[in-house]
């Protein structure tokens, strides 16, 4: 019974990967289309600031999708959820929100809460990377000690 559930899980994850790949492909095509549209509208070869913000937003959404794709691939490969990838997706998502922030639409409190999230995610990512480096150093020194 356990093998059936494991097989079903792998099948679903492959389905998620295929669906994400299709969505990412269409998102890329959309970005290319938006660039084409903006470049060939009068005035030619000029993208205004709102168009750039829209373009950056689309590109960052694509990056979020790519990070999610990598997360699912890593889970399929190692059968472990890599928290580092999840934190990176969250950082990119919040960075996207900051980049396209409309100061007239949102309050200062919302901006402060967003900055608090960025700070906490940054600290979490730093601690994860720092801990990972320490663990690798310890493992390396243990292996070197075993060889002697």
């Amino acid at each position: 019974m356990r093998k059936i559930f494991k097989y079903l899980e792998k099948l679903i994850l492959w389905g998620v990967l295929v669906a994400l790949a299709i969505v990412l492909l269409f998102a890329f095509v959309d970005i290319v289309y938006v660039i084409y549209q903006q470049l060939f509208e009068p005035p030619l070869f000029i993208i205004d600031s709102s168009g750039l913000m829209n373009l950056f937003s689309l590109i960052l959404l694509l990056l979020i999708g790519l990070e999610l794709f990598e997360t699912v691939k890593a889970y399929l490969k190692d059968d472990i959820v890599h928290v580092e990838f999840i934190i990176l997706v969250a950082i990119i998502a919040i960075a996207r929100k900051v980049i396209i922030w409309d100061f007239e639409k949102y309050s200062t409190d919302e901006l402060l809460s967003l900055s608090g999230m960025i700070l906490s995610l940054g600290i979490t990512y730093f601690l994860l990377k720092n801990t990972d480096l320490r663990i690798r150093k310890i493992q390396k020194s243990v292996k070197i000690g075993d060889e002697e």
Side-chain angles (χ1 to χ4, degrees), residues 136-148:
R136 287 183 187 175
K137 285 181 183 177
I138 291 170
Q139 287 174 343
K140 196 180 226 183
S141 67
V142 169
K143 285 181 183 176
I144 290 171
D146 289 342
E147 292 173 1
E148 292 176 358

Side-chain angles (χ1 to χ4, degrees), residues 23 32-33 44 63 70 87 94 117-119 129-130 144:
V23 168
V32 171
Y33 178 72
L44 289 178
L63 286 176
E70 286 300 316
I87 300 294
I94 292 175
M117 285 189 276
I118 289 174
L119 183 64
K129 290 300 267 184
N130 206 19
I144 290 171

Side-chain angles (χ1 to χ4, degrees), residues 44-83:
L44 289 178
F45 303 114
I46 294 176
I47 301 176
D48 63 349
S49 61
S50 65
L52 274 176
M53 290 309 248
N54 181 34
L55 194 57
F56 290 157
S57 176
L58 291 173
I59 290 170
L60 287 172
L61 271 174
L62 183 65
L63 286 176
I64 291 168
L66 286 170
E67 283 298 327
L68 286 173
F69 190 80
E70 286 300 316
T71 302
V72 175
K73 271 181 24 184
Y75 182 74
L76 259 172
K77 181 182 173 196
D78 302 333
D79 210 22
I80 297 171
V81 175
H82 292 270
V83 179

Side-chain angles (χ1 to χ4, degrees), residues 60-142:
L60 287 172
L61 271 174
L62 183 65
L63 286 176
I64 291 168
L66 286 170
E67 283 298 327
L68 286 173
F69 190 80
E70 286 300 316
T71 302
V72 175
K73 271 181 24 184
Y75 182 74
L76 259 172
K77 181 182 173 196
D78 302 333
D79 210 22
I80 297 171
V81 175
H82 292 270
V83 179
E84 181 182 331
F85 289 144
I86 304 297
I87 300 294
L88 280 175
V89 169
I91 288 171
I92 293 170
I94 292 175
R96 175 187 171 271
K97 187 71 173 172
V98 169
I99 289 170
I100 63 169
W101 190 263
D102 184 1
F103 286 94
E104 295 164 2
K105 187 176 178 183
Y106 300 105
S107 70
T108 307
D109 292 341
E110 291 170 313
L111 183 61
L112 287 173
S113 65
L114 209 56
S115 63
M117 285 189 276
I118 289 174
L119 183 64
S120 61
L121 285 169
I123 291 169
T124 303
Y125 186 75
F126 172 78
L127 290 173
L128 276 173
K129 290 300 267 184
N130 206 19
T131 303
D132 188 39
L133 289 174
R134 285 187 186 158
I135 289 172
R136 287 183 187 175
K137 285 181 183 177
I138 291 170
Q139 287 174 343
K140 196 180 226 183
S141 67
V142 169

